[in-house]
Amino acid sequence: MVERRLPKPRDLAPLMQFKKFDFNASRRRLSAALTIEDLQRIAKRRTPKAAFDYTDGAAEGELSLRRARQAFEDVEFSPSILRDVSTVDTSTTIFGGPSAQPFGIAPTGFTRLMQTEGEIAGASAAGAAGIPFTLSTLGTSSIEDVKAANPLGRNWFQLYVMKQREISYGLVERAAAAEFDTLFFTVDTPVAGARLRDKRNGFSIPPQLSLGTVVNAIPRPWWWIDFLTTPPLEFASLSSTGGTVGELLDSAMDPSISFEDLKVIRELFPGKIVVKGVQNVEDSTKLADLGVDGVVLSNHGGRQLDRAPIPFHLLPEVAREVGDDLEVTMDTGIMNGADIVSALAMGAKFTFVGRAYLYGLMAGGRAGVDRMIEILSEQVERTMKLLEVSSVEELEPKHVTQLQRLVPR
């Protein structure tokens, strides 16, 4: 039987060391966030519904997004044993240059609507972490401002080919002049997807006040204060605004985009050319024959064609077919460092995070993006150590089994 006694003061002293209270509320929130889902919940509390739903939502029934996330959850790892993983190297080389982590920040449009620091927060955080930042054609910071925010880091530019070709060509030339080293030629947006949350919320560019938005803003006054006391939104590629995101995209995008446009852009841009939005093996093979530098397997985060192919499921076959000829990367559905490790094991050279980045941005501006990168980096390293691989090059298909839910009939 255990002997009981009254505790002595010297025994209690080590238990009475209280953690110092942090009076910075933002820092408290972010330090308590342990996952991307935690950042997502903070972002939802701090951001008006229409702006949050623009980030969080997808097209029509949002099946593509749910399936993409489910595909990563349906992974079974196969770890090795008795290997030295006291140090793990998460760095990699992609599109001719280094990255400290096997993920970068994906292009996102209208970013300052999510949080006023916008792309400047993303680019500066990426530069500090040693990972690439990708600026969208529909970004709310200029090519030159992003370069100034990330002068020594890797900046990439995502291009939409627009009806007014001279606008697109001008953006390519500006990206080259600003020493952006890689251009993403985006091919999955001939027209806008049906983003029903935006329509139901009456989400427009710029935001329009209504009874609903006023009521929703009451518990989030800081967002409106930031929005109204910072410079107005400017878009490098849109000469006029007013309307839903879908209406703006339909007015600007050209459904006649073709391989001839890719040839023109190839001649204009001196850096790496990567085609973003590839969704089948046949197109991947054709692009390899055309000599592009890489592809991004992507269904645009589920925001275009609902019921689109799941990039993670498509990845192994594409990597087998064209992985020796071009660099295969992917996005869509990534919410954890384990997702990134899974993609690398199945043949991806690199991955991209879009929503995860925006959740961090909405949760805390630049500091929130830093926290997002920190969370994913810790998860990548921990997963690699538990698999007992010491570098990303050691990840192989044998480390991952894709469990099947959706099997073609």
Side-chain angles (χ1 to χ4, degrees):
M1 185 172 182
V2 176
E3 179 184 355
R4 298 193 180 275
R5 61 180 177 81
L6 291 175
K8 298 177 181 179
R10 68 172 180 268
D11 296 330
L12 293 176
L15 306 178
M16 303 298 288
Q17 297 179 18
F18 296 102
K19 183 179 179 181
K20 186 177 180 181
F21 182 76
D22 191 341
F23 289 93
N24 185 307
S26 178
R27 195 160 52 223
R28 287 201 312 273
R29 283 193 300 271
L30 294 176
S31 64
L34 304 180
T35 66
I36 300 304
E37 288 83 0
D38 288 343
L39 292 176
Q40 180 185 24
R41 285 187 283 271
I42 297 170
K44 187 173 184 178
R45 292 198 304 267
R46 297 189 58 79
T47 310
K49 177 176 172 57
F52 177 82
D53 277 356
Y54 170 73
T55 296
D56 195 59
E60 301 194 42
E62 305 189 356
L63 294 172
S64 290
L65 177 58
R66 288 200 298 274
R67 289 174 179 176
R69 286 180 174 166
Q70 187 67 60
F72 283 116
E73 293 177 10
D74 291 344
V75 158
E76 181 179 272
F77 284 123
S78 179
S80 301
I81 62 170
L82 299 177
R83 299 190 179 187
D84 183 1
V85 287
S86 53
T87 60
V88 167
D89 184 4
T90 62
S91 67
T92 190
T93 299
I94 185 69
F95 305 140
S99 177
Q101 296 291 333
F103 66 90
I105 293 181
T108 61
F110 312 111
T111 308
R112 282 189 56 221
L113 278 174
M114 312 305 112
Q115 202 273 351
T116 189
E117 295 178 53
E119 291 89 354
I120 302 307
S124 57
I131 65 174
F133 175 83
T134 315
L135 175 65
S136 170
T137 292
L138 300 179
T140 44
S141 297
S142 71
I143 290 168
E144 293 76 16
D145 285 347
V146 165
K147 176 65 175 179
N150 187 22
L152 302 178
R154 298 191 68 192
N155 296 307
W156 299 347
F157 186 71
Q158 175 263 335
L159 179 74
Y160 287 119
V161 174
M162 309 178 83
K163 291 176 181 175
Q164 293 180 278
R165 292 293 196 273
E166 62 274 13
I167 294 177
S168 297
Y169 299 160
L171 291 171
V172 172
E173 291 166 349
R174 286 171 58 192
E179 298 180 329
F180 282 45
D181 65 74
T182 300
L183 184 141
F184 285 7
F185 182 89
T186 303
V187 296
D188 58 7
T189 317
V191 296
R195 302 172 192 180
L196 302 185
R197 287 205 219 182
D198 294 348
K199 292 183 178 180
R200 290 175 179 135
N201 289 330
F203 182 60
S204 62
I205 309 292
Q208 301 296 311
L209 289 176
S210 67
L211 179 60
T213 56
V214 170
V215 170
N216 190 250
I218 291 173
R220 303 169 180 83
W222 51 82
W223 188 94
W224 284 100
I225 292 170
D226 282 346
F227 181 75
L228 296 172
T229 59
T230 53
L233 296 179
E234 295 182 355
F235 304 93
S237 57
L238 295 177
S239 57
S240 63
T241 58
T244 66
V245 172
E247 289 168 347
L248 289 173
L249 288 175
D250 283 339
S251 68
M253 302 308 162
D254 191 347
S256 72
I257 181 175
S258 70
F259 282 95
E260 286 301 312
D261 291 295
L262 175 59
K263 181 179 178 181
V264 172
I265 299 303
R266 170 73 279 181
E267 293 171 352
L268 287 174
F269 190 74
K272 302 290 186 181
I273 295 289
V274 177
V275 178
K276 182 179 185 294
V278 178
Q279 298 182 69
N280 61 58
V281 177
E282 180 183 359
D283 286 339
S284 302
T285 303
K286 185 170 184 177
L287 290 167
D289 292 340
L290 291 175
V292 303
D293 298 291
V295 294
V296 183
L297 302 181
S298 171
N299 62 30
H300 213 101
R303 298 165 71 81
Q304 285 297 104
L305 176 66
D306 205 9
R307 309 170 199 256
I310 299 168
F312 183 54
H313 285 174
L314 182 63
L315 172 62
E317 188 175 1
V318 172
R320 283 194 299 269
E321 290 293 323
V322 302
D324 292 336
D325 302 314
L326 49 75
E327 294 185 291
V328 178
T329 69
M330 68 155 290
D331 68 18
T332 304
I334 294 172
M335 291 285 283
N336 191 291
D339 303 339
I340 295 168
V341 171
S342 299
L344 297 173
M346 297 307 291
K349 288 283 291 181
F350 201 70
T351 61
F352 299 93
V353 292
R355 284 185 179 86
Y357 149 55
L358 293 178
Y359 293 145
L361 180 68
M362 289 185 287
R366 161 67 194 272
V369 182
D370 288 335
R371 183 63 183 139
M372 179 277 299
I373 295 172
E374 185 178 38
I375 288 170
L376 289 179
S377 300
E378 290 173 351
Q379 291 171 340
V380 166
E381 181 174 342
R382 182 169 57 250
T383 303
M384 289 174 62
K385 285 186 174 181
L386 291 171
L387 284 173
E388 300 205 12
V389 297
S390 59
S391 69
V392 295
E393 287 76 17
E394 292 180 20
L395 289 165
E396 297 177 356
K398 69 178 183 180
H399 291 113
V400 170
T401 299
Q402 290 182 322
L403 305 178
Q404 292 187 336
R405 288 174 185 251
L406 301 175
V407 181
R409 297 180 63 181

